[in-house]
Amino acid sequence: MRVGWDARILVNGERRGMGTYASNVLQALRECRPDIELRLFHDRSGRDGAMDDVDAREIGPKRGYRWQLWERVGLPFHAYTQGCDLVHSPANTTPPRCPLPRVVTLHDALPFHDW
């Protein structure tokens, strides 16, 4: 199985909660499931030790006002063209439309609460 992974939180500079979570999940997957092929997609040149020996690709568009375009178009397009079987988004958001099945990790459901 080939998994396309939204790795933006791994290249954002200082590692915090969600970045630590994503790094630990990647490490565990690499150790426990060597049969899973990981393809990491991110939008920044900075690379991190969590991505050593993993196919990590910088794709556009870059950060800033085109952030939603990256998630809505860039990530699904590249995951699909790279032959991924699904897309994993480890930081609360995922492409609203995608030709592949999606898995999203939701860290906080408070924004969805209707007060």
Side-chain angles (χ1 to χ4, degrees), residues 2-5 37-41 54-57 82 84:
R2 183 176 294 163
V3 177
W5 187 285
E37 184 180 341
L38 298 168
R39 296 274 171 111
L40 278 57
F41 301 102
V54 177
D55 185 1
R57 297 164 187 251
Q82 291 297 310
C84 293

Side-chain angles (χ1 to χ4, degrees), residues 36-47:
I36 294 178
E37 184 180 341
L38 298 168
R39 296 274 171 111
L40 278 57
F41 301 102
H42 59 89
D43 62 350
R44 192 177 271 186
S45 295
R47 294 234 357 215

Side-chain angles (χ1 to χ4, degrees), residues 12-91:
N12 275 346
E14 183 182 345
R15 176 93 25 94
R16 299 178 74 176
M18 288 188 281
T20 300
Y21 158 80
S23 178
N24 290 337
V25 169
L26 279 174
Q27 186 64 33
L29 275 173
R30 290 165 55 189
E31 291 172 6
C32 297
R33 292 292 307 267
D35 57 314
I36 294 178
E37 184 180 341
L38 298 168
R39 296 274 171 111
L40 278 57
F41 301 102
H42 59 89
D43 62 350
R44 192 177 271 186
S45 295
R47 294 234 357 215
D48 172 280
M51 295 192 292
D52 291 343
D53 302 324
V54 177
D55 185 1
R57 297 164 187 251
E58 179 182 353
I59 61 173
K62 301 294 180 205
R63 294 180 182 273
Y65 70 94
R66 298 195 291 179
W67 171 79
Q68 287 188 353
L69 188 59
W70 187 98
E71 183 176 70
R72 292 173 181 249
V73 178
L75 177 59
F77 172 78
H78 287 282
Y80 180 77
T81 59
Q82 291 297 310
C84 293
D85 297 304
L86 66 89
V87 172
H88 181 95
S89 300

